[in-house]
Amino acid sequence: MAENKDIDSITGVETTGHEWDGIKELNNPLPKWWLYVLYACIVWAFCYWIAMPAWPLVSSYTKGVLGYTNRTAVAASLERASANQAAYRDAIRTKPLDEILADPSLLEFALAGGRASFGDNCAPCHGSGAQGFTGYPNLNDDDWLWGGTLDDIHHTINYGIRTDHEDTRVNDMPAFGRDEILSREEIADVADYVLSLSGQTENPEAVERGAQIFEDNCVACHGEGGTGIQELGAPNLANGLWLYGGDRADVIDSISNSRRGVMPHWIDRLDENTIKQLVIYVHSLGGGQ
């Protein structure tokens, strides 16, 4: 018995027999180009399964006749990159810092490497933009505790601050309150004097008393007028830049209990090439001397 076909009277196309609310579904064939693409994809999939790693197994995977792996490709790419950079690394290792700074191509390479190394090693304390935090210096300004020349920065990164390395930078401020060197009243007066150096106090009597206390106890490290001595790592107290906070309570706390920030030494952790790139990068941030 012949099958009855339902032909749509408007389009002349056979329907699938499905109907919803009087709307019939036409049985239009797929475009040939679409079918050819589908068949080509199926053929391509079989070829890919044979040529490339594809199917997971119990303890491994099908390797494919080409033996390709992303790991091998990445290793080869890194090897090529390393070979291309070898000349730059050799030059940075052998040349003095000022010559690297004067060579545009070496400078560009060192800045890129230094930026990456800074993010990996220094950003957790100094911030991703080297902006610093309370207790961690801002490396973008020109306020340097131990000096901002290339050689100064190189020494600081190499040997750190107050570490166990024999060449570390170290100079400790006395804890004038904790060790009972000064009374609470004297500490309050010298705090007012210190704040007056940057125009942050209006207590002339306390400032006058604190000036003499400062002269007797603090000038040896901080210098006349509190402008600091970089060779001793003594900060400038007159520029309004504060590492541990600049309000009166913070200054009193610093005088009473001292501050003893520590920066690790990197000479045993990073190679000299990386350290030189870090020096160039930190020096370039805006405050290098």
Side-chain angles (χ1 to χ4, degrees):
M1 182 176 178
E3 182 181 356
N4 293 325
K5 295 182 178 181
D6 184 14
I7 305 298
D8 181 61
S9 60
I10 297 176
T11 62
V13 176
E14 180 183 359
T15 71
T16 63
H18 301 154
E19 183 178 344
W20 296 271
D21 293 335
I23 301 173
K24 296 181 179 181
E25 181 183 10
L26 301 181
N27 189 20
N28 281 314
L30 292 170
K32 288 187 177 181
W33 68 266
W34 193 95
L35 288 173
Y36 293 152
V37 171
L38 175 63
Y39 298 149
C41 289
I42 293 172
V43 173
W44 170 258
F46 277 101
C47 293
Y48 188 92
W49 293 342
I50 296 170
M52 304 291 285
W55 291 95
L57 304 175
V58 174
S59 60
S60 183
Y61 57 92
T62 57
K63 307 295 184 181
V65 297
L66 297 181
Y68 173 85
T69 66
N70 286 336
R71 181 173 297 176
T72 302
V74 170
S77 176
L78 290 175
E79 186 175 347
R80 289 192 300 272
S82 180
N84 292 335
Q85 296 172 3
Y88 290 101
R89 292 198 304 271
D90 290 343
I92 288 175
R93 185 175 59 253
T94 57
K95 287 190 174 185
L97 290 165
D98 55 349
E99 291 187 21
I100 298 172
L101 201 64
D103 187 318
S105 60
L106 280 183
L107 177 60
E108 182 180 3
F109 184 87
L111 288 174
R115 184 180 300 107
S117 297
F118 187 93
D120 291 340
N121 300 282
C122 313
C125 289
H126 291 284
S128 58
Q131 75 278 7
F133 304 100
T134 300
Y136 301 95
N138 180 353
L139 304 179
N140 295 287
D141 59 29
D142 59 359
D143 185 46
W144 295 91
L145 290 177
W146 295 95
T149 67
L150 289 170
D151 289 338
D152 288 334
I153 297 171
H154 189 247
H155 187 97
T156 300
I157 294 176
N158 262 335
Y159 306 117
I161 308 295
R162 299 182 184 88
T163 69
D164 56 2
H165 196 283
E166 62 181 359
D167 293 318
T168 190
R169 295 189 183 281
V170 59
N171 185 29
D172 290 332
M173 171 180 168
F176 288 96
R178 188 177 63 231
D179 295 339
E180 300 181 352
I181 301 172
L182 297 176
S183 67
R184 294 179 61 182
E185 292 76 15
E186 289 173 320
I187 290 173
D189 286 344
V190 79
D192 279 307
Y193 171 74
V194 168
L195 289 169
S196 75
L197 297 176
S198 53
Q200 298 182 67
T201 185
E202 297 181 359
N203 189 341
E205 294 82 5
V207 169
E208 184 178 356
R209 294 191 299 268
Q212 185 59 52
I213 300 170
F214 187 91
E215 177 73 24
D216 295 340
N217 296 273
C218 312
V219 165
C221 288
H222 291 284
E224 294 288 343
T227 54
I229 301 176
Q230 287 185 344
E231 292 80 1
L232 301 176
N236 183 345
L237 305 176
N239 59 7
L241 300 176
W242 302 94
L243 182 57
Y244 292 96
D247 61 30
R248 191 169 186 271
D250 291 329
V251 175
I252 288 175
D253 188 22
S254 294
I255 298 170
S256 297
N257 300 302
S258 178
R259 304 290 186 179
R260 199 175 188 279
V262 176
M263 171 183 164
H265 60 267
W266 295 97
I267 191 169
D268 299 327
R269 309 182 189 196
L270 301 175
D271 60 78
E272 176 62 10
N273 199 298
T274 302
I275 288 177
K276 278 188 169 182
Q277 293 179 55
L278 273 172
V279 171
I280 296 294
Y281 174 70
V282 171
H283 185 269
S284 75
L285 290 174
Q289 297 172 342

